[in-house]
Amino acid sequence: MSVWDALIGQQESIATLRDAAAAAAEIAAGGDGGSGRMTHAWLFIGPAGSGRSVAARAFAAALQCERQGELGCGECAQCRTVNARTHPDVHSVVPEGLSIPVAEMRAVVGRAARRPSLGRWQVILVEDADRLTEQASNALLKAIEEPPPRTVMLLCAPSLHPDDVMVTIRSRCRLVSLRTPPADAVASVLRDDGIDPGTADWAAAAGQGHVGRSRRLARDAEARDRRAEVLAIPASLTSLGACLRAADHLVSAAEREAAALSAGLDAGETESLQVALGAGGTGKGVAASVRGTAGLLKDLEKRQKSRATRTQRDALDRALVDLAAFYRDVLLVQAGSPVAAAHPDLADDVIAVSRAIDANGALRRLDAILACREALDLNVKPRIAVEAMTAALRLPG
Ligand SMILES: [Zn+2]
């Protein structure tokens, strides 16, 4: 199985990356690799679940792969170690947890300036470029502006929005845009994973192009329950009280999810940091001596808090995407459209709501959901934004 097989419905991007990997191999062998087929900095963008980091890692493997003519074979030692995240010349930057973003970025950039030890290139892979601090972005920008000859930088971000990627970084990167994979492609992957065909088709539709989400829905009963609870909301909104209860339910469920994740990560991180600081002495503790132990702990707490906020927001956003698809299904039913529904298992509720409201009403409710997403993006308190939304979703009469 080649490394490209993990990318679903992305034929165009794969063709570009394969061509660039072939050019890179020529360059590494002393050739010129043709004009502009290979560049030092790449930016992978695409909606959540489209496989940005999968694409970047596949490309990293192809850049190192030993098998000429089939770069990214997935079987040679280079490909396997890249996939296992143990390749010495592929450096992942994960700006989360214990690492101090700007310090980590500088260290990685420094290491990547050396000659490759086993592979042809030094690869820096930043899976969440949108999570870099400004200083870390600046450290990265410097490397992109003056790239060492054998260094390739692969960045992943949700979009080209300046909040996601600094404009100055974006303008120096070659873009790889991943698209939302079609449901039949996702279903076929789930079937290959051993999921029965009925569940695979259902989960592919319900995941709405998010491969990871479809996988979870196919395998995880809790994820299915949460989705069912969210999708029971539209038909239940017959009074203001019901609207407020629904809002409370959505927000509390997201809070619980964030709390569960934090409980699993925070304590361990804080303890590791304390141990590192206590045992660090002067060598490792240079940063500590400059900024103080309390400062580092405070930094960590800040990152943990922002991770919890992000998790909560991601959970809410997933619910909103499901709700929006529900009203899209309502519109499809009202128009008698043969387009496949996102939530075929909720046909009864969809039909009931499609009779209670007209097409304008469905569009207004879609707008209310989008407005809620925007408000959350602008840091409006989740409870306020979600209550405004569920009140707007209320059924007439
Ligand atoms: Zn290989």
Side-chain angles (χ1 to χ4, degrees):
M1 192 170 146
S2 93
V3 295
W4 309 109
D5 292 338
L7 273 165
I8 300 161
Q10 313 291 352
Q11 301 321 321
E12 277 169 49
S13 297
I14 291 174
T16 304
L17 294 171
R18 289 187 107 139
D19 184 52
E26 281 175 45
I27 294 168
D32 73 349
S35 59
R37 286 161 66 208
M38 177 61 191
T39 43
H40 282 280
W42 295 74
L43 177 56
F44 295 79
I45 59 157
S50 58
R52 315 182 279 259
S53 57
V54 178
R57 193 160 289 279
F59 187 40
L63 287 173
Q64 313 287 23
C65 179
E66 291 160 8
R67 206 172 286 175
Q68 293 297 332
E70 204 197 326
L71 295 170
C73 68
E75 284 157 7
C76 71
Q78 305 276 345
C79 282
R80 276 189 286 123
T81 46
V82 172
N83 275 335
R85 299 168 188 251
T86 52
H87 196 291
D89 300 323
V90 177
H91 314 273
S92 285
V93 180
V94 185
E96 204 181 36
L98 261 186
S99 56
I100 298 154
V102 66
E104 187 185 352
M105 184 52 82
R106 286 203 187 111
V108 168
V109 166
R111 256 182 283 141
R114 299 186 208 140
R115 287 191 60 77
S117 56
L118 280 182
R120 286 188 292 272
W121 300 88
Q122 288 277 13
V123 180
I124 298 179
L125 203 170
V126 187
E127 291 192 11
D128 299 286
D130 53 315
R131 299 193 196 190
L132 293 174
T133 63
E134 199 181 331
Q135 292 127 299
S137 290
N138 281 323
L140 179 66
L141 175 63
K142 238 159 125 190
I144 292 177
E145 283 174 335
E146 292 161 31
R150 278 298 174 84
T151 303
V152 179
M153 277 152 285
L154 311 179
L155 321 180
C156 309
S159 79
L160 289 176
H161 194 279
D163 285 351
D164 285 341
V165 189
M166 257 167 60
V167 176
T168 40
I169 288 184
R170 186 184 75 186
S171 65
R172 284 170 176 79
C173 290
R174 178 140 163 221
L175 266 192
V176 178
S177 292
L178 300 168
R179 59 193 190 110
T180 300
D184 54 354
V186 176
S188 132
V189 170
L190 294 180
R191 281 196 295 274
D192 291 347
D193 284 357
I195 310 252
D196 72 85
T199 309
D201 286 346
W202 169 79
Q208 299 171 63
H210 190 308
V211 182
R213 169 99 172 121
S214 291
R215 258 201 196 107
R216 266 196 304 283
L217 286 171
R219 289 187 178 147
D220 177 0
E222 212 172 293
R224 283 195 292 274
D225 289 347
R226 269 206 297 273
R227 169 181 174 276
E229 282 165 18
V230 167
L231 290 170
I233 288 175
S236 77
L237 299 177
T238 50
S239 69
L240 187 60
C243 294
L244 295 178
R245 276 196 300 282
D248 180 60
H249 178 84
L250 283 170
V251 175
S252 315
E255 281 170 356
R256 275 199 305 278
E257 196 172 324
L261 182 86
S262 299
L265 294 173
D266 290 2
E269 285 171 0
T270 308
E271 197 187 318
S272 311
L273 179 58
Q274 278 162 339
V275 169
L277 292 172
T282 49
K284 250 184 142 179
V286 175
S289 65
V290 175
R291 305 191 40 210
T293 305
L296 285 177
L297 277 170
K298 217 169 153 188
D299 269 7
L300 176 61
E301 266 170 37
K302 216 167 105 188
R303 283 204 301 284
Q304 288 172 337
K305 211 176 148 212
S306 78
R307 179 176 61 204
T309 309
R310 183 179 276 268
T311 311
Q312 191 187 334
R313 209 178 286 171
D314 288 351
L316 258 185
D317 199 57
R318 214 163 41 236
L320 297 184
V321 168
D322 275 347
L323 282 176
F326 181 97
Y327 290 101
R328 178 180 167 274
D329 284 358
V330 167
L331 278 169
L332 292 177
V333 167
Q334 287 171 333
S337 164
V339 174
H343 304 304
D345 51 333
L346 283 132
D348 290 349
D349 274 14
V350 168
I351 289 168
V353 171
S354 74
R355 287 184 183 143
I357 58 177
D358 60 10
N360 267 328
L363 285 172
R364 270 203 309 277
R365 285 166 178 81
L366 267 173
D367 278 345
I369 296 168
L370 295 180
C372 181
R373 291 185 82 183
E374 275 167 24
L376 292 172
D377 267 349
L378 294 170
N379 278 327
V380 172
K381 280 217 180 314
R383 199 165 288 274
I384 293 173
V386 174
E387 279 178 357
M389 176 191 78
T390 53
L393 300 182
R394 187 176 166 180
L395 294 169

